[in-house]
Every structure is written in structure tokens, then in C-alpha cells.
Amino acid sequence: MKLKNLLYLLAILFLTIGLVACSNGDETTNNDNEGDKGSETENTDNEEPAEEPSEDDTTYTITALDFNPTAVAKDGPGVAMINERFNIDYQVDIALKDGYKEKLTTTFSTGSIPDLVGFEGGDANYVKYAKQNAFLPLDDYIDDYPTLQRVPDAIWDSLRVDGKIYAIPNYLNPAPQSTAIRTDWLENLGLEMPTNYEELKEVALAFTNDDPDGNGEDDTYGILTTVGPNNIFPFHAQGPYWDPETYYTKNEDGNFIPTRIGDGWKELVTMFHDLYQEGALNRDFHTLSTQDGNTEFYSGKTGIWIFSIWTGFDEYARTLVDLEPNASIAPIPAFEDPTGKTGWKMNRGYSSLTTLSAELAGDEGKIKRILDMIEFGRQYYPEEEQTPDNEDFDWIQGKEGQGYSMVDGKAEQVETASADGLAPEHYLPDAKPYLPEEANPSEWKNLQTEVLQNAGQKFEEMHKQQDYFYQKRLLVQSPTENELGQELKQFLVDEHAKMIVGERPLSDWDAVVEEWYAMGGDKIVEEYNQAFEEQDLVDFDGWIEVGE
């Protein structure tokens, strides 16, 4: 079978496993923020039960470095529960997601890393450190664990470095996060949902100038983005044509190029520039973190931000509802691009990775204990099993009355569960369920505030009706990007940020592109296009029709 045809099948498989999370059903999962740690497990007659501690009675000391969008207590009750269940001394450091890459760099510079290290999905440092032999190859362990067997081959292959797998991917719904808008503000101003960037720009200006919350104060602005390490985020890309992470269009030489240097991203940078000059884009966007962005949006200061079905944001939403009881949020549907396509870039299939230190090699008892712990956290419980009667579910959620309560027959975490570290799920290296193919959840049910539940239902419905673009870039590698990609990406982020605030003219766009090429970008484009040709991917456009 030609690889091109195989990739179509892999993409369909990818969709089969992932898109069930975008369809209506009677089961739920605790799907968290990208890189956040959620927990549910499955225990059916057709599957092996969740892993129990090994018969090995050795108490292992296991060190870990991981991240979370919000603060987690350093040594909450959840750690003690993990220690007792798995007979370990678990020394885990949960850092804030904002600033985590810098912490990783500092950790690896010491020459000694923890037993477990988490990486954000797409972090090029994974490949960099894997090439330095920092991690334990995991190929020989995959068949031993049911949730690892669920991972599609396409994802495993995308994680190979020099032919070996060094990381365990978590589960991520392929539906990407979407631009979110305050629909109550649209209604207050008599505006329609925008269908292109000109209309989005007009809405952002109206949200800035026309008192959308009706309080008589000049205290709102239109749209929010931030500048973090290696990215302007959120992109507010309403399709892959505008998404800076894709290779979607070709240059005059007929080579696929990163959208970050293409016309689609240029259109967005230009819009950001225009809105910044008008005061409709947050003036401090280059200093805000994404956590700050959540605070801005959910405190009613801006009307356009991002949304996906992630748990962990109900606390923000409660603040919004306290301020504006009639607040409503919805995702903005994808825009039609210049090629006539309408749809979304499919996520890479994971939002975070878990690696094991190469120094574990030969210590099979400790490796098994670690993998047993990971496997337990990745289990999935159908909705009817998410009760205190299910001992495993009750344990991972921190026990009824401590980490969660049953409200109207549904398990709801206490508001301080994460901050106080009340449950094992807040500390396990991967506590996000890897859904079996037969699962059919409605993930919005995991949200605990009406404003987010309504938004979540609209999000799921939207993603059932619009097509997906699968990135062939994820199936090949560029050695130069592995080596220089972060540096070159940061260069573009810095120059584009300057354009947004007016420190560099937009007319310099082509000059910036030429600078990027001269720094090594030409080699990256050459290597990707050569790989596309070698793997018979040139004519694979990546679009998968899923709309109803």
C-alpha cells in the first residue's frame, strides 16, 4: 500500500478515535485543559482491569516534573494517596504552564533529570533531548498496557526519534480550541456572528467603542491575544489557511511553506496591528500570560478570546456570571478561506507527553511501577461508573467528601481540589483518560457552570458540522527545524509583535521572511518538501470531510 493511501486510512482512524468526543452520547469524560490532568478510567468485561501495584514490595522513590495551567499544592493529600496505593515515595514538582519551558531548560542544564518529565505537545525540546539520549525507549512496553495500545500508529510514528519512541502521549480531542465570543454582547449591540475577518474586526471595534455590557462605562475592548515563549497566542485562526503552525499554501517556487510566513498569518498580524492602533486589542498583549488572558475575558473586560471543552475553567466562569448574570459565550464557526475550504486544523492528537529518564534503564521493577501508575491514570470510566461505588473512580477523584461531592447524581470536584491537591489526579503523570473506540462522550457535561455548558454544547455541535485538516507536517521531520526551529520561530514572533505595536512597519513583511530564510528557514522548507515528496505526500491535501 502506498504511504499516501495508508495516511488516509490513518487519518480516518485518528478521526474515529477522536471525533467520538465531539458527538452526542450518554457518557462523559473529565477532559482538561491542554496539558492539564483529568481523570477517568474504564473497567469493562472486555478489557483488562486497571493496573494494581506490582507484587514487588520495594518502595521506590520516583521523581517527576510536570506542569498545570493553575497552581497545585506542592504536597497535598493526593500525593499521600499515590504513595500508599503504589508503594512509592513520589516527589513531584507541578509547575505552572506559563514559564514551564524555561524551567525545563534549567532542569536539563544540570545534567540530571527526574524519573518522569512532562512536555507540552509540539515542544521541539522533546526531539532535542531525545537525540541526546536523555530518555528511555518505550517501544518494548507498549503492548503491555491497554491504553498505550489504543494510541493510533500515526501518533506513535510522529513521536519517533531516530526510529524509537521516547514519550507517552495523552489523549486530546482532535477538535481544536476555537475563537470564543460574548454572544450576549453581540445581541446587546444588534450584531451578527462574524463570518470573515473584516466582520470580526468590525465586531472588535464595536465591543471597544459601543458599551457592549451596557454599564455606561468605557471599560471594555474587543479582542485579546498574548505573546509567550515562541508564540503569539491565541492565533484566532479561523481555519488552517490562517494558522501559523500549518504548511498549507505554496510559494512561487511551488514549495509548501509555513503559514507563519504566508499570506494567511499576514492577514491576522495586519488585523491585530489595526485593532491595536484603535485600542481594540489589549495594549499589554506582549506582557500578558494566557492565565492573565483568562482572567481578562472572564472578568468581562474583553469579548473575544478562546474556548474548548476543558475542565478547570469553571472557577473563572463563576466570576463572570457573578459580574454579568446573563453572560453567554459561543465559538465562532470557521471562515471560508481563499481556496474555498471551510474547517479546522485537526489537533496533533495529544496535548502533553510523558517521558521516562534514560537512567532508569535496567531497573525493570521501577519502570513497571511507573508504567502501572501511568496506566491507572489513563483509564476511562463511563458516566454510570463515575460514582463513589466505583472504588477506583472514587480514589482518583480524591474520595467523596474530600476531593468531590455528588450533586444531582454527578461527581463534582470541590472548588479548591486542584489548588489544595486533594486528589491523585492532580499529581499523576497522566490522569487524562485515553478513550476506547467505543466511547461516545458528551464532554460538555463535565463542565459545572451553565455558561460553559451552553458554550460546550455549541462547540460540539459546530465541530460535528465542519471538516478537518490533518497536518502532513506531523508525519515527517526536518532536522534543521529540530535544531534551529525554536530560535527561528522566536525571531518571527518577535518581529510580528513589533509590527502589531507599530515598532516595525507591515511593509517589512517580505524583508522579515527573507531574514528568516537566511537564518536557516530555507533549509527547513527544503527538508519538509523533500520529505513530502519521498513519502508520497505532495498530493495529500489533508482534508477529511466529517460535516453532517
Side-chain angles (χ1 to χ4, degrees):
M1 177 184 290
K2 281 220 176 235
L3 182 54
K4 178 175 70 175
N5 298 326
L6 176 60
L7 288 171
Y8 275 109
L9 295 178
L10 287 173
I12 292 170
L13 172 62
F14 197 130
L15 207 61
T16 299
I17 292 178
L19 282 183
V20 291
C22 295
S23 59
N24 290 329
D26 297 322
E27 298 172 345
T28 68
T29 67
N30 287 345
N31 217 18
D32 289 352
N33 192 1
E34 285 201 15
D36 198 1
K37 311 298 175 185
S39 170
E40 291 177 44
T41 67
E42 175 171 301
N43 226 348
T44 69
D45 293 337
N46 298 324
E47 281 206 6
E48 298 178 20
E51 292 286 340
E52 291 295 335
S54 165
E55 293 180 3
D56 177 4
D57 60 3
T58 304
T59 301
Y60 293 102
T61 296
I62 297 174
T63 57
L65 175 63
D66 214 336
F67 63 92
N68 203 61
T70 56
V72 178
K74 183 172 179 59
D75 194 23
V79 175
M81 295 173 70
I82 292 170
N83 287 338
E84 180 181 6
R85 185 177 191 112
F86 292 98
N87 187 24
I88 62 175
D89 177 13
Y90 193 41
Q91 300 176 10
V92 58
D93 182 1
I94 306 292
L96 283 174
K97 184 178 180 181
D98 288 324
Y100 183 65
K101 287 185 178 181
E102 291 82 354
K103 188 177 183 71
L104 274 179
T105 300
T106 301
T107 299
F108 277 81
S109 68
T110 67
S112 179
I113 66 172
D115 298 319
L116 290 161
V117 177
F119 287 85
E120 294 183 56
D123 187 345
N125 283 316
Y126 160 65
V127 174
K128 172 184 174 181
Y129 296 132
K131 284 184 171 291
Q132 296 174 6
N133 300 314
F135 308 130
L136 181 76
L138 300 172
D139 307 67
D140 293 340
Y141 301 99
I142 291 173
D143 289 342
D144 296 336
Y145 294 93
T147 71
L148 301 188
Q149 295 175 35
R150 293 177 194 158
V151 179
D153 289 343
I155 296 180
W156 284 129
D157 289 343
S158 73
L159 294 174
R160 292 186 185 277
V161 179
D162 297 331
K164 293 186 179 296
I165 296 168
Y166 293 97
I168 296 172
N170 73 345
Y171 174 81
L172 178 64
N173 186 321
Q177 56 198 358
S178 302
T179 301
I181 193 165
R182 287 284 300 275
T183 49
D184 56 314
W185 285 12
L186 287 175
E187 294 170 3
N188 290 346
L189 299 178
L191 300 172
E192 300 293 328
M193 182 72 77
T195 61
N196 56 52
Y197 280 108
E198 188 58 38
E199 292 177 1
L200 183 65
K201 181 178 177 181
E202 292 174 1
V203 167
L205 289 169
F207 282 0
T208 306
N209 300 319
D210 298 342
D211 191 22
D213 58 4
N215 67 357
E217 302 289 336
D218 182 15
D219 58 357
T220 60
Y221 61 92
I223 191 169
L224 172 66
T225 193
T226 67
V227 177
N230 283 119
N231 241 338
I232 295 172
F233 179 82
F235 310 139
H236 296 300
Q238 292 302 107
Y241 172 81
W242 297 278
D243 192 305
E245 304 291 350
T246 65
Y247 273 63
Y248 190 76
T249 57
K250 296 180 179 180
N251 62 13
E252 62 276 6
D253 297 325
N255 288 321
F256 287 98
I257 59 172
T259 299
R260 199 176 294 275
I261 63 170
D263 290 339
W265 182 240
K266 180 181 180 181
E267 182 179 352
L268 272 170
V269 170
T270 301
M271 182 189 74
F272 290 149
H273 165 84
D274 294 345
L275 291 175
Y276 184 86
Q277 303 306 314
E278 295 285 345
L281 176 73
N282 52 307
R283 305 295 292 184
D284 53 355
F285 82 97
H286 53 293
T287 62
L288 287 185
S289 67
T290 52
Q291 190 171 359
D292 294 330
N294 289 322
T295 300
E296 289 278 292
F297 181 70
Y298 288 104
S299 62
K301 294 181 180 179
T302 186
I304 303 171
W305 180 228
I306 50 173
F307 179 82
S308 189
I309 302 183
W310 302 324
T311 56
F313 287 83
D314 286 292
E315 185 175 347
Y316 289 111
R318 292 184 186 98
T319 299
L320 176 61
V321 173
D322 286 344
L323 293 169
E324 301 183 51
N326 296 320
S328 60
I329 301 167
I332 302 177
F335 297 163
E336 181 178 340
D337 71 27
T339 73
K341 296 289 188 179
T342 303
W344 300 102
K345 176 190 75 174
M346 182 184 289
N347 281 330
R348 65 181 65 245
Y350 57 90
S351 62
S352 66
L353 300 171
T354 301
T355 61
L356 278 65
S357 171
E359 296 180 7
L360 292 166
D363 193 344
E364 293 301 322
K366 187 171 181 179
I367 293 170
K368 184 179 189 305
R369 193 73 57 85
I370 290 172
L371 293 176
D372 287 351
M373 182 170 63
I374 291 174
E375 177 71 8
F376 189 97
R378 289 162 60 89
Q379 302 302 314
Y380 163 72
Y381 290 110
E383 184 176 12
E384 64 272 13
E385 295 182 17
Q386 298 174 29
T387 71
D389 293 334
N390 189 310
E391 293 182 1
D392 288 344
F393 175 81
D394 185 56
W395 179 85
I396 204 167
Q397 293 289 324
K399 300 286 187 179
E400 184 184 21
Q402 173 179 288
Y404 74 99
S405 300
M406 296 299 294
V407 180
D408 297 327
K410 177 182 175 182
E412 290 190 3
Q413 284 192 344
V414 300
E415 290 187 24
T416 61
S418 178
D420 293 340
L422 301 181
E425 70 163 344
H426 303 304
Y427 298 100
L428 288 170
D430 184 357
K432 207 167 190 181
Y434 212 99
L435 273 64
E437 188 171 347
E438 66 272 14
N440 189 30
S442 290
E443 296 183 75
W444 64 266
K445 292 182 180 180
N446 294 308
L447 303 171
Q448 298 177 10
T449 52
E450 184 177 359
V451 64
L452 291 189
Q453 288 180 341
N454 291 338
Q457 287 181 276
K458 294 171 184 175
F459 178 88
E460 288 190 355
E461 187 63 31
M462 179 185 74
H463 280 290
K464 287 194 295 177
Q465 298 175 359
Q466 296 194 305
D467 296 339
Y468 281 85
F469 173 76
Y470 184 76
Q471 301 180 75
K472 58 188 176 186
R473 176 184 68 84
L474 300 178
L475 298 167
V476 297
Q477 289 193 27
S478 158
T480 303
E481 181 167 64
N482 291 339
E483 179 183 357
L484 301 176
Q486 295 287 75
E487 177 185 343
L488 269 63
K489 183 179 176 183
Q490 188 64 58
F491 166 75
L492 290 176
V493 168
D494 292 342
E495 298 310 305
H496 294 161
K498 291 176 186 176
M499 291 179 176
I500 291 171
V501 301
E503 294 178 3
R504 185 164 188 174
L506 290 165
S507 58
D508 273 1
W509 184 273
D510 290 342
V512 169
V513 172
E514 290 304 315
E515 291 178 59
W516 180 82
Y517 275 125
M519 295 170 65
D522 57 346
K523 192 68 174 175
I524 292 175
V525 170
E526 177 186 342
E527 290 170 355
Y528 270 123
N529 281 273
Q530 182 178 349
F532 294 155
E533 185 173 349
E534 290 173 351
Q535 298 298 323
D536 201 13
L537 286 168
V538 173
D539 296 327
F540 176 61
D541 70 1
W543 280 101
I544 302 170
E545 295 183 4
V546 298
E548 294 180 343

